[in-house]
């Protein structure tokens, strides 16, 4: 498999994909080690993950370079991602004992009741490329801490990073019998679905997630899906500082080239502040430096996947045909690399694809609304249910709207953020189950109820 640098279109590495045979061998290796790993005291497992955490810190410059070379995000955003993953690991290490230890529920006369949290066993993690450290860490760190063995399949677009993650975990002291990396694209993923894992944890698109869920259903094991979104954001007319709101929400839409599951994908603005907001938004977008992701000060590099350019082209063209106004951008940039100009469309409607289908790129539609009711109705109009955001001065006003939207996350005066302490979960086509928080530990366990009469 060729690994291509999306900024230069050069082949930067060629690696051997796993075959049916190598995958089976890796699976068998994991089966031999999982029980011993689960029997180790939690403190031992914590020690190894802590050592991984330090290696990420020591190697950050090299790792950020590798990540940027294959996904194209600016170097600084690669560093941010690795540091973000380290922060999540810290939270997990600090909370593992609290959420994985036995819980005594009742200690009555002659009867004791407790819950123990047993690992699922050998689990499979099929992962995405847009934040390989963050979405990877969400799964394999709590899974390992809980005593599972993990087959980790990085996306074919972040293979080199996946290899580095495997190397560093091994260097940290994690036995081969506990963590294996499955390399390749769709065929590798398909082969993993044929094996008898005791849990499937998927991060990726709705289409693949739905397919995986159907394929593994008859195995009767947990299957958790973290999928895409079409996340709406509403700016109410009582916000204090329109310029600051425009800058913050533009970042929420365009950070990592809009290639975030929780990127702002649709913006609704109260008519009273619409013109001022759009002007400030455009000023912000036009201030960004686009260029090689290795250059200082660059905010937008290339898209990771060439195929996405055609999808963005279609969304822009269809919107313009249906009456949208192209305020800036709108096409692929000239020259080498998978660059697409940062694009802002106004006068959009919810019937347009740009307001319905996940864009996953540097493009946003902004729409004027007359009041909160209209904003709410439009925000609800989606198959997805990952996040929704409201910028408003009055907290109750934001809560009233967010309470009526069927998403796993609500943001008031912020957007496009994830916290290790809070559950990360989608609804509807955005998936189900949760990573992070205490739920993100329990997801990798089977509770056992103990009724003990003396
Ligand atoms: P994708 O669905 O194309 O691929 C995801 C993974 O599935 C890859 O490892 C791929 O090789 C594998 N795969 C593809 N076809 C398969 C098959 N038939 N059987 C088994 N495995 C298969 O998604 P992507 O492009 O890597 O990621 C982008 C998507 O992920 C976006 O929709 C984004 O919103 C979503 N995402 C969601 C979250 C979240 O937490 N909710 C986080 C990151 C990304």
């Amino acid at each position: 498999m060729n690994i291509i640098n999306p900024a230069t279109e050069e082949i930067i590495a060629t690696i051997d994909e796993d075959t049916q045979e190598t995958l089976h061998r890796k699976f068998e290796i994991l089966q031999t080690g999982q029980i011993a790993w689960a029997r180790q005291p939690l403190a031992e497992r914590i020690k190894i993950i802590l050592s991984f955490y330090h290696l990420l810190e020591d190697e950050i410059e090299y790792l950020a370079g590798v990540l940027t070379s294959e996904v194209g995000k600016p170097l600084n955003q690669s560093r941010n991602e690795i540091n973000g993953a380290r922060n999540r690991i810290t939270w997990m290490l600090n909370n593992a004992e609290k959420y994985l230890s036995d819980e005594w529920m009742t200690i009555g006369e002659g009867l004791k009741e407790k819950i123990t949290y047993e690992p699922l066993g050998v689990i499979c993690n099929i992962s995405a490329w847009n934040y390989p450290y963050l979405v990877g860490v969400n799964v394999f760190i709590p899974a390992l801490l809980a005593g599972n063995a993990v087959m980790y399949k990085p996306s074919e677009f972040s293979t080199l990073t996946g290899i580095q993650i495997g190397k560093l975990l091994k260097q940290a002291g994690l036995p081969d019998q506990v963590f294996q990396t499955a390399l390749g694209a769709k065929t590798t993923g398909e082969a993993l679905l044929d094996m008898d894992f005791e849990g499937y944890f998927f991060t990726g698109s709705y289409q693949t997630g739905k397919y995986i869920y159907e394929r593994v259903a008859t195995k009767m094991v947990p299957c958790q899906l973290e999928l895409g979104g079409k996340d709406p954001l509403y700016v109410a007319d009582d916000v204090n500082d329109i310029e600051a709101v425009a800058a913050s929400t533009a970042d929420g839409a365009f950070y990592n080239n809009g290639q975030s599951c929780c990127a702002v994908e649709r913006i609704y603005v109260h008519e009273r502040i619409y013109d001022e907001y759009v002007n400030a938004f455009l000023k912000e977008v036009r201030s960004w430096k686009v260029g090689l992701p290795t250059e200082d000060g660059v905010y937008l590099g290339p898209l990771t996947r060439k195929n996405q350019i055609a999808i963005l082209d279609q969304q822009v063209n269809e919107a313009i045909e249906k009456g949208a106004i192209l305020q800036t951008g709108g096409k692929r940039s000239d020259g080498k690399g998978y660059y697409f100009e940062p694009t802002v469309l106004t006068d959009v409607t919810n019937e347009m694809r740009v307001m319905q289908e996940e864009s996953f790129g540097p493009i946003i539609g902004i729409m004027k609304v007359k009041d909160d009711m209209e904003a709410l109705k439009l925000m609800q109009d989606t198959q997805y249910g990952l996040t929704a955001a409201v910028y408003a001065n009055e907290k109750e006003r934001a809560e009233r709207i967010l309470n009526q939207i069927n998403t796993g996350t609500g943001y008031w005066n912020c957007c496009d953020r994830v916290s290790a302490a809070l559950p990360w979960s989608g609804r509807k086509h955005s998936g189900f189950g949760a990573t992070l928080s205490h739920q993100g530990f329990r997801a990798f366990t089977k509770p056992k109820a103990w009724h003990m009469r003396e």
Side-chain angles (χ1 to χ4, degrees):
M1 182 167 67
N2 287 334
I3 312 294
I4 293 171
N5 181 332
T8 61
E9 300 185 40
E10 282 163 6
I11 297 174
I12 50 171
T14 302
I15 59 127
D16 290 331
E17 284 178 65
D18 270 302
T19 61
Q20 294 272 355
E21 291 72 49
T22 59
L23 289 173
H24 274 285
R25 214 156 41 238
K26 287 179 177 182
F27 179 60
E28 281 163 15
I29 292 172
L30 292 173
Q31 284 181 312
T32 64
Q34 187 268 323
I35 290 173
W37 174 247
R39 284 198 183 129
Q40 282 209 23
L42 178 58
E44 286 302 310
R45 299 200 291 270
I46 287 178
K47 214 160 84 187
I48 291 175
I49 301 302
L50 183 61
S51 160
F52 173 66
Y53 166 93
H54 287 303
L55 288 169
L56 288 178
E57 187 176 13
D58 297 344
E59 303 288 332
I60 188 162
E61 281 309 307
Y62 175 71
L63 299 173
V66 171
L67 180 57
T68 288
S69 73
E70 63 182 340
V71 303
K73 67 176 74 182
L75 256 183
N76 216 27
Q77 294 186 17
S78 289
R79 291 188 193 103
N80 288 349
E81 182 183 340
I82 296 166
N83 282 327
R86 289 178 51 239
N87 289 341
R88 286 191 195 176
I89 295 173
T90 302
W91 188 90
M92 290 165 185
L93 292 176
N94 289 341
N95 287 278
E97 203 174 324
K98 184 167 161 194
Y99 296 125
L100 293 173
S101 300
D102 300 354
E103 279 182 294
W104 288 101
M105 305 312 285
T106 316
I107 306 183
E109 288 267 311
L111 182 73
K112 290 180 177 167
E113 293 177 344
K114 73 168 177 176
I115 309 171
T116 55
Y117 293 96
E118 299 175 359
L120 297 175
V122 181
I123 64 139
C124 176
N125 175 205
I126 299 181
S127 202
W129 49 265
N130 58 332
Y131 289 97
Y133 284 98
L134 292 172
V135 297
V137 154
N138 285 1
V139 173
F140 62 70
I141 297 293
L144 290 168
L145 288 170
N148 298 279
V150 179
M151 179 77 89
Y152 169 61
K153 185 202 157 324
S155 160
E156 57 274 34
F157 296 101
S158 57
T159 302
L160 301 180
T161 293
I163 293 172
Q164 291 304 321
I165 286 173
K167 266 191 197 159
L168 291 188
L169 281 168
K170 188 174 173 149
Q171 210 178 319
L174 198 66
D176 284 342
Q177 293 87 341
V178 172
F179 190 89
Q180 290 283 333
T181 311
L183 300 180
K186 185 176 169 183
T187 319
T188 303
E190 291 271 352
L192 295 174
L193 305 182
D194 289 333
M195 296 178 190
D196 287 328
F197 286 98
E198 286 151 304
Y200 285 84
F201 294 82
F202 174 75
T203 309
S205 62
Y206 162 70
Q207 287 77 9
T208 313
K210 180 171 177 283
Y211 171 79
I212 289 178
Y213 189 43
E214 286 168 357
R215 274 286 307 274
V216 304
T218 54
K219 294 181 197 285
M220 305 287 282
V221 297
C223 174
Q224 190 164 296
L225 306 176
E226 304 219 322
L227 312 177
K230 191 70 194 168
D231 299 359
L233 180 145
Y234 171 50
V235 187
D237 56 341
D238 65 345
V239 289
N240 290 329
D241 183 343
I242 293 178
E243 216 166 293
V245 171
S248 155
T249 53
D251 184 52
F254 287 89
Y255 189 83
N256 196 25
N257 242 326
Q259 301 171 123
S260 308
C261 52
C262 53
V264 176
E265 289 250 344
R266 304 179 276 150
I267 300 181
Y268 304 100
V269 186
H270 195 286
E271 61 184 8
R272 229 173 277 150
I273 56 157
Y274 178 81
D275 289 340
E276 203 180 327
Y277 173 85
V278 169
N279 286 337
F281 193 94
L282 288 169
K283 192 171 149 217
E284 179 67 17
V285 170
R286 290 183 178 128
S287 75
W288 292 328
K289 186 172 167 189
V290 181
L292 277 179
T294 43
E295 259 174 40
D296 269 355
V298 163
Y299 178 75
L300 292 168
L303 289 164
T304 306
R305 297 166 305 169
K306 191 179 184 180
N307 287 352
Q308 200 65 11
I309 291 173
I311 293 171
L312 299 180
D313 270 337
Q314 280 167 13
Q315 291 192 353
V316 172
N317 294 336
E318 190 234 25
I320 294 171
E321 269 164 35
K322 289 189 171 162
I325 296 176
L326 178 66
Q327 297 284 355
T328 187
K331 59 178 189 341
R332 185 182 179 164
S333 314
D334 298 332
K336 281 266 172 226
Y338 311 145
Y339 287 86
F340 198 90
E341 297 171 349
T343 299
V344 180
L345 292 155
T346 57
D347 297 64
V348 291
T349 67
N350 257 27
E351 283 64 54
M352 297 173 184
R353 290 162 80 161
V354 70
M355 298 299 268
Q356 286 296 333
E357 295 171 7
E358 191 177 40
S359 304
F360 227 59
I363 144 173
I364 191 79
I366 307 180
M367 185 171 169
K368 190 192 288 185
V369 294
K370 67 176 188 307
D371 56 21
D372 293 4
M373 278 303 287
E374 187 185 6
L376 172 63
K377 204 165 145 257
L378 292 164
M379 291 169 92
Q380 286 168 326
D381 172 27
T382 175
Q383 290 296 322
Y384 288 105
L386 196 56
T387 83
V390 174
Y391 279 65
N393 194 27
E394 195 197 324
K395 177 159 74 71
E396 291 68 30
R397 183 174 178 181
E399 279 177 334
R400 235 181 353 257
I401 297 170
L402 293 171
N403 267 328
Q404 297 178 73
I405 301 183
N406 194 10
T407 55
T409 291
Y411 299 117
W412 174 45
N413 289 341
C414 57
C415 58
D416 190 31
R417 75 182 295 277
V418 178
S419 162
L422 299 175
W424 187 246
S425 71
R427 299 183 185 173
K428 304 195 288 181
H429 286 191
S430 296
F432 48 78
T435 50
L436 301 175
S437 77
H438 63 284
Q439 310 236 29
F441 280 112
R442 301 278 162 77
F444 302 99
T445 65
K446 298 176 279 199
K448 179 172 273 183
W450 295 78
H451 308 243
M452 298 186 293
R453 200 177 286 286
E454 282 175 321

